[in-house]
Amino acid sequence: MEKILKKILEDNKKFYKDGKVADYIPALGKANIEDCGITIIDKDKNIHSVGDYNKKFTIQSISKIITLMLAIMDKGFEEVFQIVGYEGTERPFNTISYLESEKVKKAINPMLNSGAIAVTSLIKGDGEKKFDRILELVKVLALNSKIDYDREVYKSEKDTGDRNKAIAYLMKSRGIINGDIESTLDSYFKQCSININTIDLANIAFSIANRFEDVDLESHIDKKKLSSLLISIMVHSGMYNFSGEWSAKVGIPSKSGVAGGVLSVVPDKYGIGFFGPSLDENGNSILGYKVIGELSNELDLNIY
Ligand code: GLU
């Protein structure tokens, strides 16, 4: 496996030149654009890592999977999907204008910023407690009790997060969400700033692929139903406006974040974590697309 991974990385790492690192959150602009690493965990729980697999980066939008999971564990499927929908969209992740329409009664889906902020508002816990519970779940799924959040990225997110603040307050004015908006936003900025590496991501992906079999979720939720739901959402909305093409060409349910991380789940088989901060115009890792796409062909991982 390591040999295959090394060759795929070697063949593709030159393509970092085709993209750029995210800089709309200033602290993310400091990333090394050439970084590229991957970890894959197989059915027998063997861990295979190559490249910059050990480098830390912030989880960003991949946290939307974790918060969706926690909100469902706290409130159940029905209550969560009363304020977010199931459908994919061509709108960008930070879309706001649709929330103005009187006809709109919920955020489009939990992978958009609007949907993710709505989902976070449902998670139990006042003040700091909300985020503490999110961080705790990340640690449990990643099998890493040392995970923390990056204070510099958090501050940068918060200082420049006016659009996310506008989204949250517009949703409140429309009656989609309620409660303490400032604490929901603070939790959202912190959850995006959680620091991880590809091994952590692969462990989280493996827990989903493995239907949370080995995970004590401290909840009576149907674990299989939960993992199926997360996987189905990743299929149509995990890769921003590229989710359809990613599904067609790579064929592995995945979620990416603007720091360059990609979490990929091959149901009942593999968990994959990838890092490469050079992004395409949709906000997906350029190298992630190339490397995971080739890996999918090489190991015959396309789920369709
Ligand atoms: N913290 C980022 C934001 O809210 C997350 C974006 C992403 O990874 O898609 O803008």
Side-chain angles (χ1 to χ4, degrees):
M1 180 73 88
E2 271 78 0
K3 235 171 115 186
I4 298 174
L5 292 175
K6 250 188 204 136
K7 172 145 184 17
I8 297 178
L9 246 57
E10 272 312 308
D11 291 350
N12 286 289
K13 64 183 189 195
K14 56 181 179 286
F15 293 112
Y16 78 85
K17 292 196 187 92
D18 296 347
K20 51 190 187 79
V21 299
D23 54 9
Y24 74 100
I25 299 167
L28 294 184
K30 295 182 182 168
N32 176 9
I33 192 165
E34 294 183 42
D35 281 349
C36 179
I38 189 166
T39 294
I40 174 162
I41 302 180
D42 65 29
K43 263 203 298 239
D44 303 317
K45 301 182 188 158
N46 298 308
I47 300 179
H48 312 274
S49 297
V50 301
D52 300 304
Y53 67 91
N54 220 356
K55 276 224 176 165
K56 293 255 188 249
F57 55 96
T58 52
I59 192 168
Q60 294 297 333
S61 265
I62 304 168
S63 65
K64 292 170 180 166
I65 295 290
I66 313 286
T67 47
L68 176 59
M69 184 176 164
L70 189 53
I72 293 172
M73 284 160 54
D74 280 353
K75 298 280 164 80
F77 292 91
E78 209 169 300
E79 191 171 334
V80 171
F81 285 93
Q82 260 160 22
I83 65 164
V84 285
Y86 288 99
E87 305 307 326
T89 176
E90 279 188 352
R91 288 173 183 269
F93 69 97
N94 56 3
T95 181
I96 181 169
S97 56
Y98 82 96
L99 291 165
E100 261 218 279
S101 161
E102 290 296 322
K103 276 187 252 153
V104 171
K105 301 277 184 261
K106 41 172 97 170
I108 297 176
N109 74 52
M111 299 298 109
L112 294 176
N113 286 9
S114 48
I117 292 167
V119 162
T120 296
S121 78
L122 290 180
I123 292 171
K124 285 186 189 156
D126 294 329
E128 296 277 307
K129 186 86 182 114
K130 210 188 256 292
F131 174 68
D132 291 348
R133 294 185 62 238
I134 297 167
L135 183 62
E136 190 49 42
L137 183 56
V138 171
K139 289 178 183 175
V140 167
L141 298 174
L143 307 176
N144 181 356
S145 60
K146 295 206 178 78
I147 293 176
D148 200 356
Y149 71 101
D150 182 319
R151 269 67 179 172
E152 188 192 348
V153 173
Y154 159 63
K155 191 174 178 313
S156 196
E157 297 250 359
K158 201 172 165 130
D159 290 348
T160 59
D162 300 315
R163 196 176 173 98
N164 287 325
K165 293 172 197 165
I167 288 172
Y169 279 103
L170 184 51
M171 286 194 294
K172 186 178 184 195
S173 79
R174 295 285 337 282
I176 297 171
I177 62 174
N178 48 50
D180 180 355
I181 301 299
E182 283 304 314
S183 112
T184 292
L185 279 165
D186 198 58
S187 181
Y188 177 78
F189 294 134
K190 278 186 185 150
Q191 80 201 31
C192 289
S193 312
I194 292 173
N195 240 339
I196 44 151
N197 62 22
T198 67
I199 303 172
D200 299 322
L201 262 193
N203 273 313
I204 299 171
F206 184 81
S207 71
I208 301 171
N210 199 31
R211 315 291 180 180
F212 304 116
E213 220 169 72
D214 307 325
V215 189
D216 181 7
L217 286 182
E218 290 177 6
S219 154
H220 297 301
I221 204 85
D222 180 336
K223 291 178 173 181
K224 193 146 191 252
K225 192 172 160 197
L226 181 59
S227 72
S228 298
L229 176 97
L230 299 178
I231 291 167
S232 79
I233 301 253
M234 282 190 244
V235 165
H236 58 70
S237 303
M239 305 303 283
Y240 306 108
N241 307 45
F242 195 70
S243 301
E245 194 166 336
W246 176 282
S247 286
K249 294 188 174 158
V250 177
I252 306 177
S254 303
K255 177 77 199 92
S256 67
V258 290
V262 185
L263 166 148
S264 297
V265 175
V266 184
D268 307 304
K269 291 196 186 107
Y270 296 98
I272 302 169
F274 182 86
F275 172 54
S278 179
L279 304 183
D280 65 16
E281 68 274 15
N282 298 302
N284 290 316
S285 169
I286 293 239
L287 297 179
Y289 177 51
K290 301 263 183 206
V291 169
I292 300 169
E294 227 172 271
L295 191 64
S296 177
N297 283 335
E298 195 72 37
L299 301 182
D300 196 17
L301 302 181
N302 191 318
I303 67 162
Y304 305 105

